Amino acid sequence: MREYNELIFEISREGRIAYTLPACDVPETCIKSSFPASMLREKELGLPEVSEVDVIRHYTLLSNKNYGVDTGFYPLGSCTMKYNPKINEDMASLPKFTGLHPYQPEETAQGALRLMHDLDGMLAEITGMAQVSLQPAAGAHGELAGLMIIKAYHQNRGDSKRNKIIVPDSAHGTNPASASVAGFDIIQINSDEKGAVDIEALKAVLNDEVAGLMLTNPSTLGLFEKNIKEIADLVHEAGGLLYYDGANMNAIMGYTRPGDMGFDVVHLNLHKTFSTPHGGGGPGSGPVGVSKKLVDFLPVPVIEKQADKYVLNYDKPLSIGRVKSFYGNFGVIVRAYAYVLTMGAEGLKKASEMAVLNANYMKERLKNHYYLPIDDICKHEFVLSCFGPDQHEVSTLDIAKRLLDYGYHPPTIYFPLIVDSAIMIEPTETESKETMDKFIDAMILIAEEAKTNPELLKSAPHNTHVRRLDEVKAARTPVLKWSK
Amino acid sequence: MHPYIPNTTIEEDQMLQSIGIKNTDALFSDIPAEVRLTRKLNLGDSMSELELSRFVKGLADKNKSIDDMVCFLGAGAYDHYIPSIIKHITSRSEFYTAYTPYQPEISQGTLQVIFEYQTMIANVTGMDVANASMYDGATACAEAGMMAVENTKRKSLVVSKSVHPEVRQVLATYMKFHGVEVVELDCKDGVTDAEALKTAVSGTTAGVVVQSPNFFGIVEDLTEIESITHNSKAMLIVNVIDPISLGILKTPGELGADIVVGEGQAFGNSLNFGGPYVGFMATTNKLMRKMPGRIVGETTDIDGKRAFVLTLQAREQHIRREKATSNICSNQALNALISSIYLTTMGKNGLKEVAEQCASKAHYAYDQIIGTGKFKPVFDKPFFKEFVVQSSRKASEINAELLKHNILGGYDLVKDYPGMENALLFCVTEKRTKQEIDKLVEILKGM
């Protein structure tokens, strides 16, 4: 295939256009007389001039340099890169959804409001929460909203000294970052040797300044917190609340629910568990669900059913306020709704069952070739630690780059931080045994190459569009836009 | 069996055997009995594709879209022409089924798209650099507020009431929890009151937030605001909710903005009942390393070939955790792609032409509506494509009447601006025809 390395600005030619507009059918306003000269643009717009075919070819050729779930296996741990069903795309692009103005009268958007109200209820049922808000735009945004709710709850009780959030060292980086943005101080606690919450370490930091504990369960190691009930009781006894990071919800649907484990606040990632596409980094959607005592603190507006009508209720005096314009990433919400309806109760449980079976199968087959620091039943993902503490000739990065040569998106690497040289593998339920077997074969081959020809790994990848990049140069002398 | 779950009982058995267990229950034995769900989720049975499609279309049909109504409503969400090629490109699953480009060697498509997007946003706003995008205009503004606070080590923000009400609400939420005071500044004649600004800013002001064109559609004169802001060593944050206006208006960069944020929906994104949209953020070289969010930079690979990569990651949450510039993790890559295709397709001449047509049609509609004698002007200031008019009747009554004629009327301002009874904010884009405008005017005249 021909190599394509041009920027859109470089193929621009003066006078070319890719658009058509009808002739202006009203008297043209003289821009110069409508605005003072000081308000008008003097500089030329720095945009390309290309024809329509130029646009199509440019982006098509760029798309060829990408790798998505539709291209192949994408076992990126913690990101749940499951298949994105196509009917969901069709549903989200129905003109009577895409063509709705957020401020049009409620009576003209009853279908959309009902859809959102329904999904609220479904997600509440799946998580065991009393109510859900679909407003947050992404997982980290849902975390932020959830933490604000925790803060508002304590403040409303007059308990204003609770300004600390406990975060385990295995947590996603967003957890402490979100807590900080919500105005909390962070207490990090170390995990025990099995990657679980160290109960003694937790007890040692619990006091009347603790607002809550953030937890991912199963943890970022893919392991279920067996002591979850004791943890929840300890935090609650100390007057704190329990926050559930829903990144790993794909492991437990229909088996257990955060609400039943004792969590007070939950966020979900519709782009993970509920099959909506990751979009190259977004848009996502990060609904936040809460237990009964926190319902009044959810962001406004709240979608409610009053008699036979769905309405947007802004009259919630205890609400944390608004965290985003309008009502959420509606287009993403439609896809997740279609997914839940397609799967049904049994389908969702089956998805979790197979996600866990697939992960355990891969773990068992790979543990003889890579170092598995915690050899236990895993949930939907597991974490390897390269070849173990004594083998350092090739790195986790080298293994990841070599996987590119074999046509795979590598697993998540160097996370969680508590595992040295981590390789975090999450197959999801949408992959067949054959796909996983081929990936396992490639991993085993790479383990062999690491011994016989380490240079091959260190210089990988060899057959991608570009090879290893100079990231230091990118950061030291940043070039963040094209210029002539 | 289920179409999204390929393994059959045959493979299940093979895998169970390989693991050395009898059934999958063993894999869930780590979940204590006391927290297990012992009943089926109350969600109903799975639907086939046909059933699903019929059901969801049934819900959609309960809505009226802008195909069913002629839209004169804007207020931060705009009904512009969307070139057909956008959907053809964005439906390429190489783009939409990928994730954040952590592995640059197989993500050059997404990375180059973002690099080009950053370039276009920087050029359109007149700033040095832009990030890879944010959730929406309102959260981008809140992030800009935090950026100003972090950089000046000051703890308050001044925001003009001519900034979009929802942007102010989101800003208020973020700042309340972040321990930052937000002072809202009254408007005078529909624009930020420079005299009031002088008294509002002080040595504790981290930033001044204004919007242009503002919520009333008026182009703000930023000259004096800029000097007041910078005299007190605060940062000027310019919010652009209607970026189409930048096709003809002077860039915030030229007007002295330190941070420009805004809503990119108008760049080719569907109305979508309010989301997903895309926030943009641009700033100066000086503040580049303080910017939140993903940023893509140019570099070379080991063969010396030009390539693109996520860069300046030392600012970000996955490295700095609680000390990060923001908790933001993802961007709105697919919407940034839409914006890029839009700006590419419209190009240098198209964006200007769209802006000129919007201005012409809005001014025509304004003149005609005032000409009915039933409405009077509220402000006497230069406006772009939205304008405020007032009548003797309640705005909600007028809108209800218009809706009977399948016209989506203006934004009822009294919701957010007590005292602005009977005032409507109309929006006219290049999509509106003379005939549609004349019809609107005729109905308004007859009321």
Side-chain angles (χ1 to χ4, degrees), chain A residues 19 39 41 63 66 98 100 104 125 181 255-256 280-281 322 326 342 353 379 401 465 467 470, chain B residues 24 27 30 35 37 39 42 46 64 92 98 110 166 173 178 246 248 250 273 299 301 305 331 353:
Chain A
Y19 74 97
M39 287 182 179
R41 177 181 273 276
S63 77
N66 252 16
T98 58
L100 301 186
Q104 70 184 57
E125 166 68 2
V181 172
Y255 283 92
T256 177
R322 182 185 270 294
F326 314 118
T342 300
E353 182 192 359
K379 293 273 86 54
K401 296 304 180 195
H465 289 281
R467 295 179 60 211
D470 189 344
Chain B
T24 57
L27 300 175
D30 52 354
V35 302
L37 187 66
R39 61 167 175 85
N42 184 19
S46 74
K64 280 176 105 174
R92 291 193 70 90
T110 296
E166 293 206 10
T173 305
H178 210 55
L246 295 173
I248 54 170
K250 186 167 271 185
F273 205 40
T299 187
D301 76 353
K305 202 194 281 184
N331 61 339
E353 193 181 334

Side-chain angles (χ1 to χ4, degrees), chain A residues 165-281:
Chain A
I165 288 286
I166 305 171
V167 179
D169 57 1
S170 60
H172 297 115
T174 49
N175 288 181
S178 298
S180 172
V181 172
F184 287 111
D185 295 331
I186 286 84
I187 308 173
Q188 183 171 297
I189 53 167
N190 294 336
S191 304
D192 69 14
E193 71 283 358
K194 288 221 133 198
V197 171
D198 184 328
I199 300 283
E200 292 312 312
L202 175 64
K203 280 182 186 162
V205 296
L206 280 173
N207 58 36
D208 61 359
E209 290 180 358
V210 170
L213 165 71
M214 295 183 86
L215 214 57
T216 311
N217 192 18
S219 72
T220 56
L221 288 156
L223 304 174
F224 197 84
E225 289 283 355
K226 299 181 185 80
N227 299 321
I228 185 60
K229 208 68 192 165
E230 186 183 357
I231 293 167
D233 289 345
L234 284 170
V235 173
H236 287 150
E237 276 160 27
L241 297 178
L242 226 64
Y243 182 93
Y244 184 85
D245 175 338
N248 295 343
M249 191 70 203
N250 206 46
I252 59 167
M253 285 185 292
Y255 283 92
T256 177
R257 309 188 301 171
D260 300 336
M261 296 178 213
F263 285 92
D264 304 285
V265 187
V266 173
H267 92 263
L268 295 169
N269 301 74
L270 298 187
H271 48 285
K272 296 181 182 177
T273 318
F274 296 93
S275 85
T276 72
H278 283 69

Side-chain angles (χ1 to χ4, degrees), chain A residues 66-70 74 81 84 277-282 409, chain B residues 93-101 106-107 110:
Chain A
N66 252 16
Y67 187 102
V69 173
D70 286 4
Y74 209 129
M81 301 300 289
N84 311 128
H278 283 69
H409 193 291
Chain B
S93 65
E94 296 89 337
F95 283 128
Y96 80 77
T97 72
Y99 197 23
T100 304
I106 52 166
S107 311
T110 296

Side-chain angles (χ1 to χ4, degrees), chain B residues 120-159:
Chain B
M120 291 187 223
I121 294 296
N123 290 351
V124 165
T125 57
M127 301 300 284
D128 297 327
V129 289
N131 74 7
S133 76
M134 321 213 68
Y135 304 138
D136 67 2
T139 57
C141 187
E143 295 278 354
M146 291 197 294
M147 190 173 150
V149 166
E150 184 60 31
N151 264 287
T152 56
K153 305 289 171 209
R154 296 174 175 186
K155 290 290 246 182
S156 83
L157 293 169
V158 176
V159 56

Side-chain angles (χ1 to χ4, degrees), chain A residues 323-325, chain B residues 136-143 166-167 170-171 241 262-263:
Chain A
V323 294
K324 187 193 173 304
S325 281
Chain B
D136 67 2
T139 57
C141 187
E143 295 278 354
E166 293 206 10
V167 174
V170 173
L171 186 70
I241 294 297
E263 176 54 69

Side-chain angles (χ1 to χ4, degrees), chain A residues 398-475:
Chain A
D398 299 331
I399 295 165
K401 296 304 180 195
R402 186 65 181 144
L403 274 168
L404 300 174
D405 284 334
Y406 287 104
Y408 293 105
H409 193 291
T412 294
I413 53 174
Y414 300 106
F415 182 83
L417 306 177
I418 58 169
V419 174
D420 181 46
S421 300
I423 303 173
M424 185 193 216
I425 300 175
E426 180 183 8
T428 84
E429 75 281 6
T430 63
E431 299 301 331
S432 68
K433 179 171 174 291
E434 304 91 274
T435 300
M436 292 186 288
D437 283 340
K438 284 184 193 142
F439 177 83
I440 291 163
D441 290 345
M443 286 287 284
I444 294 172
L445 201 57
I446 291 169
E448 201 52 43
E449 287 171 351
K451 286 182 211 146
T452 57
N453 191 358
E455 218 29 60
L456 195 59
L457 272 64
K458 286 187 202 167
S459 55
H462 300 275
N463 51 21
T464 44
H465 289 281
V466 293
R467 295 179 60 211
R468 280 197 213 192
L469 307 190
D470 189 344
E471 300 195 14
V472 174
K473 175 172 142 185

